[in-house]
């Protein structure tokens, strides 16, 4: 981009079906191309497979490379006019095409001492099965004007004569989160101008991972490797903090942290590549970006304090509770898969409350209890031997509770449900046994 360019003017007239874009950057050279034998602006806008960005050896941080976008706009317009003035060549140029680039006027060349370029076109609405520029299309184009204001540093952008109230990337991010609230209150934006090629903003998301990013002022709505690059760096830092605060809890994976992030990125990439002409997904390898990002400690610290750590831990706690509930027992008469259990005949039935589970220390004590069942019967008494010292669940972590075989077996045998309180007879009727006898 020409650094002297500091103003863009966009006009969208839905009634007359006319759109124009003007900027005061260095004009297109008003000169005859030595090989093509035509004026350079004519070649760029009116002939396919021509562009001023062809040299792949040159490092550029612009958008287009082959000039398709401008020519496609010409092809899909009833009228398309190019005006440019080049101070270096002291000339201005104007040429108009019509009927989907099938007709053209002769170029008009005049003396000039200023720099600017203006494109004016009337879309061929029939091609798009439209009869007018409707509110949705105008809204989409207007939004693009806001995108340009956000992603073009130091450039004033005017839309239909009014300056867009976005002076920088931070202002643009504010528009997204303005009025949005979280449980903890208004969303906090963490912003960092890393260097002259990278701007990053972060906030919390309650709708899974969200991103809004720009590569050389192109809106990459589907993200790409530039987004992955920054996301992975932030997630790595957060995982380290979460590991210290979530000892013994459920294992938190990087993608689960990512799901709580909303990221905004504005960057300049050298010769970026995309997966389609719409340029929604940037595919260039990180090693070819032409710049590197080192996240400042202050920026990382602010992200950690933004509430995301607490949000992820809250989610992890909820997930742990769900896991425990799935592993809880239920009232059923037949129970399989628990070795050495001598189940009462009436356990898990309508007479479950009358049943007693006898817990013994080891197999030898179990034998003693089982021999006693020969006298009192097996209908209302079950026996289960415990191996070694039982886990103290009061101090145990979620992981220890879930993975302890003895505790899991007892939960299933008794029909206990995690986080359920058994205060009434109705609560007790959900169990497989009404009493526990500890035989020591």
């Amino acid at each position: 981009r020409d650094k002297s360019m500091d103003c863009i003017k966009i006009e969208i007239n839905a009634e007359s079906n006319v759109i124009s874009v003007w900027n005061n950057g260095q004009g297109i050279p008003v000169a005859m191309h030595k090989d093509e034998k035509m004026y350079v602006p004519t070649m760029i806008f009116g002939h396919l497979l021509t562009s001023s960005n062809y040299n792949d050896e040159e490092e550029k941080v612009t958008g287009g490379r082959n000039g398709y976008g401008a020519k496609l706009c010409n092809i899909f317009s009833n009228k398309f006019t190019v005006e440019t003035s080049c101070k270096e060549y002291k000339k201005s140029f104007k040429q108009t095409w019509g009927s989907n680039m099938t007709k053209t006027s002769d170029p008009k060349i005049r003396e000039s001492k200023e720099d600017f370029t203006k494109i004016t076109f009337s879309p061929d609405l029939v091609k798009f099965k439209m009869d007018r520029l409707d509110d949705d299309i105008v809204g989409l184009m207007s939004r693009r004007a806001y995108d340009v204001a956000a992603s073009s540093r130091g450039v004033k952008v005017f839309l239909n004569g009014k300056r867009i109230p976005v002076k920088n990337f931070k202002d643009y991010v504010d528009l997204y989160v303005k009025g949005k609230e979280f449980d903890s209150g208004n969303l906090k934006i963490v912003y960092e101008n890393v260097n002259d090629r990278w701007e990053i903003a972060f906030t919390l998301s309650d709708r899974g991972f969200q991103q809004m990013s720009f590569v050389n002022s192109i809106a990459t709505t589907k993200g790409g490797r530039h987004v992955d690059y920054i996301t992975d760096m932030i997630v790595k830092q957060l995982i380290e903090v979460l590991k210290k605060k979530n000892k013994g809890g459920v294992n938190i994976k990087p993608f689960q942290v990512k799901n709580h992030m909303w990221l905004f990125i504005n960057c300049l990439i050298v010769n970026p590549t995309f997966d389609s002409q719409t340029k929604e997904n940037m595919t260039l390898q990180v090693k070819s970006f032409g710049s590197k990002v080192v996240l400042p400690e202050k920026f990382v610290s602010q992200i950690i304090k933004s509430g995301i750590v607490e949000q992820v831990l809250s989610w992890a706690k909820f997930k742990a509770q769900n896991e425990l509930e799935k592993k809880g027992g239920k009232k059923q008469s037949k129970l399989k898969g628990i070795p050495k259990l001598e189940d009462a005949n009436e356990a898990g039935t309508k007479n479950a409350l009358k049943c007693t589970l006898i817990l013994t220390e080891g197999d030898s004590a179990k034998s003693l209890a089982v021999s006693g069942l020969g006298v009192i019967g097996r209908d209302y008494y079950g026996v289960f031997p415990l191996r070694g010292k039982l886990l103290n669940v009061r101090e145990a972590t979620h992981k220890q509770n879930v993975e302890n075989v003895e505790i899991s077996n007892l939960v299933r045998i008794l029909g206990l449900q995690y986080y359920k309180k058994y205060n009434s007879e109705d609560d007790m009727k959900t169990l497989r046994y009404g009493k526990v006898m500890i035989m020591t």
Side-chain angles (χ1 to χ4, degrees):
R1 194 192 98 195
D2 176 15
K3 292 184 178 180
S4 67
M5 191 268 284
D6 63 1
C7 185
I8 295 174
K9 295 178 181 178
I10 301 165
E11 298 286 336
I12 303 171
N13 191 323
E15 297 302 319
S16 61
N17 187 36
V18 175
I19 300 165
S20 68
V21 182
W22 175 96
N23 76 62
N24 65 345
Q26 187 176 350
I28 299 167
V30 182
M32 294 292 287
H33 193 278
K34 61 181 180 179
D35 296 324
E36 302 295 334
K37 307 301 180 186
M38 65 179 73
Y39 280 101
V40 173
T42 302
M43 184 184 73
I44 292 173
F45 292 97
H47 285 259
L48 294 174
L49 294 175
T50 54
S51 166
S52 60
N53 272 343
Y54 266 141
N55 184 4
D56 286 338
E57 299 300 318
E58 183 184 352
E59 293 190 348
K60 297 179 287 289
V61 289
T62 53
R65 302 176 74 179
N66 299 320
Y68 279 127
K71 284 182 274 286
L72 286 170
C73 185
N74 193 345
I75 290 169
F76 284 95
S77 295
N78 289 323
K79 187 177 180 181
F80 184 92
T81 301
V82 175
E83 297 174 76
T84 188
S85 177
C86 185
K87 192 174 182 181
E88 181 183 349
Y89 287 81
K90 298 179 181 179
K91 292 179 181 179
S92 68
F93 172 98
K94 183 176 181 179
Q95 188 171 15
T96 298
W97 286 262
S99 301
N100 310 113
M101 209 171 84
T102 60
K103 298 177 182 179
T104 181
S105 68
D106 292 329
K108 294 181 180 178
I109 312 298
R110 294 178 180 173
E111 297 294 318
S112 177
K113 294 182 180 180
E114 59 180 334
D115 274 320
F116 76 86
T117 299
K118 182 180 181 181
I119 307 296
T120 305
F121 63 99
S122 297
D124 186 354
L125 298 176
V126 176
K127 287 277 194 296
F128 301 98
K129 298 180 180 179
M130 299 170 64
D131 53 16
R132 64 185 297 275
L133 292 175
D134 59 35
D135 292 343
D136 288 341
I137 291 297
V138 173
L140 190 64
M141 292 177 176
S142 301
R143 181 260 172 82
R144 181 60 188 140
Y146 278 79
D147 290 349
V148 171
S151 58
S152 306
R153 297 191 191 193
V155 177
K156 300 183 290 288
V157 179
F158 292 82
L159 176 62
N160 295 334
K162 294 182 180 180
R163 184 176 178 182
I164 287 177
V166 174
K167 296 180 180 179
N168 51 52
F169 190 57
K170 176 68 164 52
D171 287 349
Y172 181 78
V173 176
D174 286 340
L175 292 177
Y176 271 87
V177 302
K178 188 177 181 180
K180 292 186 181 292
E181 291 188 359
F182 244 66
D183 294 339
S184 56
N186 290 331
L187 281 176
K188 296 177 182 177
I189 298 169
V190 183
Y191 168 82
E192 184 64 39
N193 183 3
V194 179
N195 53 45
D196 61 348
R197 291 196 177 185
W198 289 86
E199 289 179 276
I200 305 167
F202 169 97
T203 192
L204 300 177
S205 171
D206 60 354
R207 296 167 49 195
F209 178 69
Q210 298 182 76
Q211 68 87 28
M212 186 63 231
S213 59
F214 298 95
V215 172
N216 304 353
S217 292
I218 297 168
T220 45
T221 53
K222 292 182 180 177
R225 288 191 170 134
H226 59 306
V227 177
D228 296 340
Y229 176 53
I230 301 300
T231 302
D232 291 346
M233 276 195 280
I234 294 174
V235 168
K236 186 178 179 181
Q237 298 272 8
L238 289 171
I239 285 287
E240 292 302 313
V241 176
L242 288 164
K243 280 181 180 177
K244 295 175 183 176
K245 295 198 173 189
N246 190 44
K247 290 180 179 178
V250 294
N251 184 32
I252 299 174
K253 297 177 181 177
F255 81 90
Q256 293 165 332
V257 177
K258 181 180 174 181
N259 283 339
H260 298 272
M261 292 170 52
W262 192 354
L263 211 54
F264 300 84
I265 298 171
N266 182 30
C267 62
L268 296 176
I269 302 290
V270 172
N271 300 339
T273 56
F274 304 87
D275 64 355
S276 71
Q277 178 63 27
T278 55
K279 301 179 181 177
E280 297 167 307
N281 182 41
M282 206 279 290
T283 58
L284 190 70
Q285 296 280 356
V286 174
K287 64 182 180 181
S288 304
F289 281 4
S291 61
K292 291 184 178 180
V293 171
V294 178
L295 298 177
E297 287 185 15
K298 183 181 178 182
F299 178 64
V300 174
S301 177
Q302 288 177 325
I303 289 177
I304 292 170
K305 295 175 182 177
S306 69
I308 188 169
V309 172
E310 292 74 17
Q311 186 175 325
V312 174
L313 288 174
S314 176
W315 167 85
K317 183 179 179 181
F318 174 75
K319 186 182 179 187
Q321 289 177 348
N322 279 350
E323 281 187 8
L324 286 174
E325 286 172 6
K326 288 178 183 178
K327 290 181 178 290
K330 59 183 178 180
K331 190 172 182 179
Q332 59 189 97
S333 57
K334 301 293 183 182
L335 199 59
K336 297 179 180 179
I338 301 181
K340 300 183 179 181
L341 168 66
E342 298 287 342
D343 213 9
N345 295 331
E346 295 290 337
T349 69
K350 62 181 181 180
N351 295 317
L353 267 180
K354 299 177 183 179
C355 295
T356 299
L357 178 66
I358 303 172
L359 299 178
T360 66
E361 290 183 297
D363 293 342
S364 58
K366 175 194 171 185
S367 300
L368 178 62
V370 169
S371 63
L373 296 184
V375 178
I376 60 174
R378 292 175 175 263
D379 286 345
Y380 296 103
Y381 290 89
V383 182
F384 182 64
L386 299 174
R387 294 181 300 170
K389 185 178 179 181
L390 192 64
L391 175 71
N392 183 350
V393 294
R394 181 186 291 273
E395 304 298 330
T397 64
H398 161 77
K399 186 177 180 182
Q400 287 174 316
N401 280 328
V402 170
E403 294 181 355
N404 187 276
V405 177
E406 297 285 279
I407 296 299
S408 297
N409 283 339
L410 283 174
V411 167
R412 289 184 60 203
I413 295 168
L414 293 170
L416 291 166
Q417 296 174 33
Y418 284 98
Y419 302 105
K420 181 178 177 68
K421 293 182 179 181
Y422 298 91
N423 297 324
S424 66
E425 187 172 324
D426 286 339
D427 294 331
M428 297 292 288
K429 285 180 179 178
T430 64
L431 298 171
R432 296 186 73 250
Y433 284 86
K435 302 181 184 69
V436 173
M437 178 193 297
I438 301 174
M439 184 174 167
T440 60

